[in-house]
Amino acid sequence: MKTISLVSFCFFFQLISAQPDSLFLQKKKKKEESPQWIQKNKATVDLSQVSFTNWNSGGSNSISGLLGLNSSANYRDKYFSWRNDVSIRYGINKQESRELRKTDDLFELTSNIGYKSNNLSNWFYSARLNFKTQLTNGYNYPNKEVPISRLMAPGYLFFGGGMEYGKDIEELSFYFSPITLKATFVLDEDLANAGSFGVTPAVLDADGNIITPGERLREEVGILMTNSYEMEVANNINMKHVVSLYSDYVNNFGNVDLDWRIDFNFKVNNFIRATLGSHLKYDDDVKTKEPSEIEGEFDEAGAKVQWKQILGVGFAVDF
């Protein structure tokens, strides 16, 4: 798979190209202080707008907005590391003569706790929990009658343990878990009965009546590898790369679910910033659909690579 090869190249590039002054950020020595919690919060607003007046080439007026909130609470001492992050994003778009549409929707919680027996080592015995879902209904626009996703439909939970490497672990982390539980929640009756997001669909009789309702939970046990890397690539330009690779032991082992995000933040001043991001996903349990030969019906087309690109200019406030 070309995507996996590209991710592998990214790992290799980090190892061969990073120098001590960039990969392992040099920090001025300070007097030793007692360990403490460090909390950071950031709220962001990104906007884009296009307006036309007597424009002979044509076009539609539009406005888009993306709201974001990130909060972290981290603890670090000689032996322990505990990092907690919450992210919320919600984006909308309105074009002339078209209904309001959702462009982004995420609620994500991540908690990593690690312990090392030697304070000179960069390897941690680690446990990780990750949960994500969305806040509002999603639709296959322009159809707004039938939701294709809802709050907790789907919801994803990963929980497992393994080893994590990181000298400055907030900037660079390699995590490997040989045993990770993945739970997929579909807590909507219609979506569960349809077998959305990989859950077992309902059993129907010849007349289409439900004999056995669809399951609302799918459980998997597999192997998880993640890598995160953050660095300043140039003055006032920061890059953050996060990738996750997961394969289930029981169901089609060797088939890899991918979640890979790269974001560039361009700082104008303490409040104004621009962002450029790429989000690539592949999940074999998320099937796409294509129009059927029967009008008004759709056939399953299998899983496909999902890609989202983000470009915005807006405000950021730390508090």
Side-chain angles (χ1 to χ4, degrees), residues 25-41:
L25 304 180
Q26 300 296 319
K27 300 178 180 179
K28 294 181 180 180
K29 293 184 178 180
K30 298 180 179 179
K31 295 182 179 178
E32 290 189 4
E33 300 177 356
S34 59
Q36 59 183 345
W37 286 92
I38 298 177
Q39 184 169 357
K40 296 180 180 180
N41 303 289

Side-chain angles (χ1 to χ4, degrees), residues 52-66:
F52 300 91
T53 302
N54 301 322
W55 192 256
N56 60 9
S57 298
S60 297
N61 298 337
S62 69
I63 184 169
S64 298
L66 176 62

Side-chain angles (χ1 to χ4, degrees), residues 180-193:
T180 292
L181 167 70
K182 177 184 177 182
T184 303
F185 301 91
V186 182
L187 304 186
D188 177 84
E189 183 178 4
D190 294 334
L191 293 173
N193 289 337

Side-chain angles (χ1 to χ4, degrees), residues 252-272:
N252 196 15
F253 179 68
N255 184 79
V256 179
D257 294 339
L258 167 72
D259 193 312
W260 184 17
R261 180 160 185 150
I262 299 179
D263 293 301
F264 290 88
N265 289 307
F266 304 85
K267 181 179 179 181
V268 179
N269 55 39
N270 289 335
F271 299 101
I272 308 299

Side-chain angles (χ1 to χ4, degrees), residues 98-117:
R98 197 177 76 171
E99 73 279 358
L100 187 71
R101 298 187 176 187
K102 181 174 69 171
T103 59
D104 202 355
D105 189 357
L106 174 70
F107 174 85
E108 183 173 14
L109 168 67
T110 303
S111 182
N112 299 269
I113 186 167
Y115 168 77
K116 59 181 181 178
S117 57

Side-chain angles (χ1 to χ4, degrees), residues 143-188:
N143 182 359
K144 290 194 66 178
E145 300 297 324
V146 181
I148 61 173
S149 60
R150 292 179 180 268
L151 174 67
M152 288 300 294
Y156 296 103
L157 174 68
F158 290 86
F159 179 72
M163 296 293 295
E164 183 174 16
Y165 174 86
K167 182 176 181 181
D168 291 298
I169 204 165
E170 289 79 12
E171 286 82 26
L172 172 69
S173 167
F174 289 96
Y175 173 76
F176 171 77
S177 171
I179 300 292
T180 292
L181 167 70
K182 177 184 177 182
T184 303
F185 301 91
V186 182
L187 304 186
D188 177 84

Side-chain angles (χ1 to χ4, degrees), residues 60-121:
S60 297
N61 298 337
S62 69
I63 184 169
S64 298
L66 176 62
L67 303 177
L69 176 63
N70 296 284
S71 180
S72 66
N74 301 327
Y75 175 86
R76 181 80 180 269
D77 63 23
K78 292 181 179 180
Y79 302 101
F80 284 95
S81 171
W82 191 3
R83 310 189 309 281
N84 302 276
D85 297 280
V86 176
S87 296
I88 300 174
R89 293 201 310 271
Y90 196 83
I92 55 175
N93 171 266
K94 180 66 174 73
Q95 287 192 13
E96 187 177 9
S97 69
R98 197 177 76 171
E99 73 279 358
L100 187 71
R101 298 187 176 187
K102 181 174 69 171
T103 59
D104 202 355
D105 189 357
L106 174 70
F107 174 85
E108 183 173 14
L109 168 67
T110 303
S111 182
N112 299 269
I113 186 167
Y115 168 77
K116 59 181 181 178
S117 57
N118 184 344
N119 65 345
L120 298 178
S121 174

